[in-house]
Amino acid sequence: MDKIELLAPAGDLEKLKTAVDYGADAVYFGGELFSLRAGAGNLTIPQMEEGIAYAHARNVRCYLTLNIFAHNEDILPLEDYLIKIKALDIDAFIVSDPGIMLMIREVMPQAEIHLSTQANMTNYKTARFWQQQGVKRIVLARELTFEEIRLLRQKLPEEMELEAFVQGAMCISYSGRCLLSNFMIERDANRGQCAHPCRWKYALVEEQRPGEYYPVEEDERGTYILNSRDLCMIEHIPELVSAGVASAKIEGRMKSSFYVATIVGAYRKAIDAYYEDPQRYVFREEWMRELKKVSHREFTTGFYFNQPTNKDQNYQTSAYTREYSFIGVVRSYDPDTKMAVVEQRNKMTVGEEIEVFGPYTDYFSQKLEVLLDEEGNPIESAPHPQQILQIKMERPVSENFMLRKRKEQ
């Protein structure tokens, strides 16, 4: 049985390597231009070359997002960019705009094309059209239910793959149809510059009473009327597989390496456990608890089971839940001394309880008892960003293991 692909975001080179290390089957990333996440770190051409080599050495596929809706002024720069990246061993291009598809075909005739969710593909007739244009995979619009996905799978040739988002931020607008950001502050969501006005707090102002703000309320729940919860489908791996989804996609190129490691690690465990014995598969609550240790909003299953209701919105706040802090990443480990060299990411102090986790492992807890600076001198705390530390570990660790702690400490 071919496993469903676990597809992870790679906002920069570090996050790409983290996604690979923690179990992604494929990663998607943007270059410095023409991607819908202009605010992500993104990758230069040399970084793409390094990242692709790192991923391919570990049998992980690499997809480049070129999914803006181009304006005339984008055409010549994009043509130049395609020529510059032609030699890179990119496995597929994620594209929304038919014109960009045409340009890729002109420069790289054999390139594999995936249709971005921005194209808002919601029915099997449209899917057949895109197949006739040479598209290998369709990233489904988030507005499709399981019932619709199953029908799509039945109506399409076997070689046409379906990819679906399973984790991350949800947009209040229909896929590829948001104009709010462009209208309000002239930052075009369809060219990678979305300001996320759906997360802002709104009030009502009467024309003749400027400065008098009336709250937009719904049963005392607050005023964040456009603010969706985050998508989370980790409890529903069997349904995704049975619906015919070939690739489970995690949103989050703007998120941290800690986020990528945690989310990819949890989904990797859930997917592997399912395929070990599909008939006896049982979801483990610890996987959900892991997901909640990174910055997140309350979760929803989006459109998969039905049309979302008011229970899928958060009317009280647009803030994230942040119960844990990412405090460090292991750079090396000496099994003889049990000392790890750690790059600090947030303040840690001797005596605190910390959690340590890594790829394909369960986390463990320990008290931070031995903390040394880079020269080996004892210190009580590490407050400086990216400070190099030495920490005594109660269990063996490896490079790229991560450290976290509860915030109330």
Side-chain angles (χ1 to χ4, degrees), residues 10-13 15 30-32 37-44 47 253-254:
D12 58 29
L13 183 57
K15 295 169 191 175
E32 295 176 290
R37 287 293 180 268
N42 295 319
L43 281 73
T44 64
Q47 287 173 334
R253 279 190 286 145
M254 302 280 285

Side-chain angles (χ1 to χ4, degrees), residues 28 77 231:
Y28 66 101
L231 179 66

Side-chain angles (χ1 to χ4, degrees), residues 87-374:
L88 296 179
D89 191 14
I90 297 167
D91 294 292
F93 295 85
I94 304 173
V95 184
S96 309
D97 189 319
I100 294 179
M101 290 184 194
L102 178 63
M103 294 167 67
I104 293 172
R105 291 284 188 223
E106 290 170 347
V107 177
M108 292 167 273
Q110 303 306 314
E112 182 173 314
I113 304 292
H114 296 178
L115 185 73
S116 171
T117 192
Q118 287 298 113
N120 192 232
M121 207 299 302
T122 56
N123 66 80
Y124 62 83
K125 285 289 188 181
T126 303
R128 285 180 175 174
F129 167 82
W130 286 116
Q131 186 200 19
Q132 291 172 9
Q133 311 313 308
V135 171
K136 171 71 180 300
R137 177 187 292 186
I138 288 177
V139 187
L140 300 172
R142 288 176 172 88
E143 295 76 40
L144 293 179
T145 65
F146 271 130
E147 183 179 357
E148 291 175 298
I149 295 171
R150 283 190 288 267
L151 182 59
L152 270 167
R153 182 66 278 166
Q154 293 168 13
K155 295 285 188 179
L156 294 175
E158 187 176 347
E159 61 268 22
M160 170 63 83
E161 297 175 353
L162 302 181
E163 178 180 307
F165 280 93
V166 297
Q167 183 76 31
M170 291 282 284
C171 181
I172 196 65
S173 299
Y174 272 68
S175 299
R177 299 182 184 179
C178 184
L179 300 175
L180 274 178
S181 182
N182 203 352
F183 176 77
M184 298 178 77
I185 56 171
E186 297 183 355
R187 284 175 52 179
D188 191 344
N190 290 317
R191 299 177 82 187
Q193 299 172 348
C194 184
H196 307 288
C198 53
R199 307 293 181 188
W200 299 350
K201 188 172 184 177
Y202 291 89
L204 180 67
V205 178
E206 199 275 323
E207 183 179 22
Q208 300 300 318
R209 295 175 174 81
E212 295 185 29
Y213 298 97
Y214 300 90
V216 182
E217 293 184 345
E218 191 166 320
D219 298 331
E220 306 297 326
R221 282 177 288 206
T223 59
Y224 294 87
I225 57 175
L226 304 177
N227 185 40
S228 174
R229 297 186 179 195
D230 282 353
L231 179 66
C232 180
M233 292 296 290
I234 195 169
E235 295 179 278
H236 304 288
I237 301 300
E239 291 95 327
L240 289 162
V241 173
S242 65
V245 173
S247 180
K249 187 171 192 173
I250 297 168
E251 182 272 343
R253 279 190 286 145
M254 302 280 285
K255 302 292 178 62
S256 68
S257 295
F258 174 51
Y259 177 94
V260 172
T262 305
I263 301 298
V264 170
Y267 271 88
R268 179 77 278 153
K269 292 173 185 175
I271 290 171
D272 288 351
Y274 171 76
Y275 282 97
E276 282 177 10
D277 192 344
Q279 301 304 318
R280 294 184 176 87
Y281 172 76
V282 177
F283 178 77
R284 293 165 61 179
E285 287 297 328
E286 64 193 65
W287 300 330
M288 180 64 79
R289 288 195 293 270
E290 277 294 293
L291 297 187
K292 292 181 178 179
K293 290 180 180 179
V294 297
S295 177
H296 67 281
R297 301 179 184 92
E298 295 179 39
F299 291 140
T300 173
T301 55
F303 288 78
Y304 278 104
F305 293 98
N306 48 46
Q307 292 289 315
T309 67
N310 59 348
K311 295 180 180 179
D312 298 282
Q313 303 297 112
N314 187 342
Y315 296 101
Q316 298 175 341
T317 179
S318 63
Y320 288 90
T321 299
R322 294 184 174 95
E323 296 179 353
Y324 281 76
S325 291
F326 172 32
I327 57 174
V329 57
V330 174
R331 293 308 182 199
S332 64
Y333 175 70
D334 185 339
D336 295 328
T337 63
K338 299 183 179 179
M339 296 295 292
V341 175
V342 173
E343 182 180 305
Q344 184 260 34
R345 292 302 174 88
N346 276 293
K347 183 179 179 180
M348 62 184 90
T349 303
V350 170
E352 290 181 320
E353 193 76 17
I354 65 172
E355 293 182 1
V356 184
F357 70 100
Y360 301 94
T361 66
D362 294 328
Y363 77 90
F364 66 90
S365 299
Q366 71 167 67
K367 185 169 285 189
L368 185 56
E369 295 183 334
V370 178
L371 181 62
L372 311 177
D373 64 16
E374 190 170 6

